[in-house]
Each structure stands twice: as C-alpha cells, then as structure tokens.
Amino acid sequence: MESTIDVSLWRGKEDGHYQNYKVPLRTSQTVLDVVTWVQRNSDPTLSYRFTCRVGMCGSCAMTVNGRPRWTCRTHVSKVVVDGRVQIGPLANLPVIKDLACNMDAFFKKWQRAKGVFAPSKSKADPIEKIAPTSAQRCAADAAIECINCGVCYAACDTVRWDENYLGPAALNRAWTLVNDVRDSGNSGRLAAVAAEGGCHACHSHESCRQYCPNALNPTTSIAGLKRKTTLAYIRGDL
Ligand code: SF4
Ligand code: SF4
Ligand code: FES
C-alpha cells in the first residue's frame, strides 16, 4: 500500500480554516511538492505562489508547522511530525486566498525606508573602483543577498504588534545602501529609518536572523542603523 502523509492546508481568507488532505509520500519530497500535488490532484482551486523552486526567487514562503520557511527548500522528511504537516500563509500579511498573501505593505516599506539606490554619478562619469575588502563594502556584502521572501517579516514580533514598523527586510536593505559609497541618498534614508516605526523600534530578539533562509542577520544591520542614526542626531544632522 502507498504511504501517505496528512497535510493540513489553510483555505480561504483571514477567516478561513485548515482543511485536511492525504498526499502520497515521495523520496526527497519538498513542502512545495506537497502543495503542488494537492492543487493538481485534489483541488485545482488551491491558490499559492512559487516561481524558481530552487531558493532563488523567495515567492514560495509559507508557514510550515508554525514556522516561516521557503517551501521549495524544505524537505517534508525534516518537518513531518507523526505523519502530519500543517501549511499556512505567511504571518503578518493579509491573506488574499489560501496560501497566497498580499505583499503590498512589505514592498511599500522598502520604499518608505528608501531602499532604492540613489546614484551619485551619471553614466558619463568613469566607473568608480570599490575595494572589495573596504569596511563599508564588507558591511554591504554581508547583508546584500536578500531575496525579499518575507520570512523575516513574518517572524518579527514587532511587525505583529506595530503595523507601522518597517520590518527587518526593509531596514536590512537600507543598511546595504547606507554602506554603498556610490549612493547619494543617505541623509533622506537615515531620516526615514530613524522616524517612528523605524530601526529604533526593533527589540533585537533576532527572530529575523534565526529564520532567514539565506543566513542573513537583519538584527546586525538594524543595530548599524541605530548607531548611525544616533550619531547623525548627536551631530545635528537629523
Ligand atoms: S532578510 Fe532573509 S528572510 Fe528576510 S526577506 Fe531577505 S532573504 Fe528573506
Ligand atoms: S530583531 Fe528586530 S527586526 Fe528582527 S525579528 Fe526582532 S524586532 Fe524584528
Ligand atoms: S520557489 Fe523560488 S525560492 Fe522557493
């Protein structure tokens, strides 16, 4: 007889419910494979998101047994408990339907944190050489591999309590630009991240670092922003 697992999937919007499905167990099966199996074999109306299936795009993040994860990089064998797994939408974001969240607030906060490169030169200027070992380049490099998956945002207690809080991903992005010597937007950026709901609201408990699938450390980035904005304030620049 074929082995199966009991999969509990969120169905509907915020006021939805978990619904149970039996899914055949496969070797090296990922949580995303399980969701896809249900959509193809049990209920084609199931809504969810994915693109790359290899941990590159960040679109497949969901809550698996209570913890935010990339579902394409999570093997069922690692998370199944007593033959069961529960899969829901990411926390801290409105549910559109089933496993798909509305990411608008998440991306608007990137803009509010001025997480957009502001060039200091034009294409007519010579390309500036940046020493890969310079302290600022190393600080930017340490935080730059973010793929906007929202896992840290879903794990952050401060986002849960305060919907105005910019959150770990937007602040982490701002920190990479603060350290980019080619960027010219730092006065506005520091003011944006120092404002209410910015870096000083972070309580440094590191859920973002703990759950980031890319092993980034937004808490360290936010600590850098706290130092930088405090210094700017003392100098009268903020
Ligand atoms: S910091 Fe990590 S968890 Fe947060 S959005 Fe970027 S890649 Fe995802
Ligand atoms: S350390 Fe800060 S940003 Fe990270 S989860 Fe905690 S409150 Fe959120
Ligand atoms: S589908 Fe792209 S990271 Fe999972």
Side-chain angles (χ1 to χ4, degrees), residues 159-181:
V159 172
R160 193 158 308 143
W161 300 326
D162 177 6
E163 64 179 2
N164 190 40
Y165 177 48
L166 290 169
L171 291 168
N172 181 72
R173 169 66 178 162
W175 179 241
T176 64
L177 291 169
V178 163
N179 286 290
D180 189 333
V181 296

Side-chain angles (χ1 to χ4, degrees), residues 189-211:
R189 187 171 297 118
L190 288 180
V193 301
E196 203 179 331
C199 60
H200 296 284
C202 166
H203 60 23
S204 308
H205 281 188
E206 297 196 296
S207 303
C208 49
R209 180 201 57 77
Q210 185 182 352
Y211 293 114

Side-chain angles (χ1 to χ4, degrees), residues 4-113:
T4 58
I5 46 170
D6 291 316
V7 179
S8 186
L9 291 182
W10 186 260
R11 301 306 311 268
K13 300 193 178 197
E14 311 279 347
D15 58 350
H17 59 279
Y18 279 99
Q19 195 165 318
N20 296 325
Y21 301 87
K22 284 222 179 285
V23 177
L25 203 51
R26 301 268 187 261
T27 312
S28 300
Q29 189 176 29
T30 65
V31 172
L32 183 61
D33 292 335
V34 162
V35 174
T36 301
W37 189 94
V38 172
Q39 204 246 16
R40 290 190 185 163
N41 297 281
S42 283
D43 187 348
T45 69
L46 177 68
S47 300
Y48 67 110
R49 265 196 209 108
F50 73 96
T51 305
C52 70
R53 306 205 309 168
V54 289
M56 295 287 288
C57 73
S59 65
C60 68
M62 298 173 204
T63 307
V64 182
N65 286 352
R67 153 180 181 170
R69 289 174 172 277
W70 293 344
T71 54
C72 72
R73 300 285 286 175
T74 302
H75 280 110
V76 169
S77 57
K78 295 238 170 75
V79 291
V80 74
V81 179
D82 297 332
R84 293 173 183 276
V85 64
Q86 187 188 67
I87 308 166
L90 279 184
N92 296 344
L93 290 160
V95 181
I96 297 172
K97 179 174 171 289
D98 304 333
L99 303 168
C101 293
N102 186 336
M103 304 288 287
D104 276 3
F106 176 76
F107 288 115
K108 280 190 177 138
K109 287 177 180 178
W110 277 56
Q111 291 171 329
R112 215 178 94 208

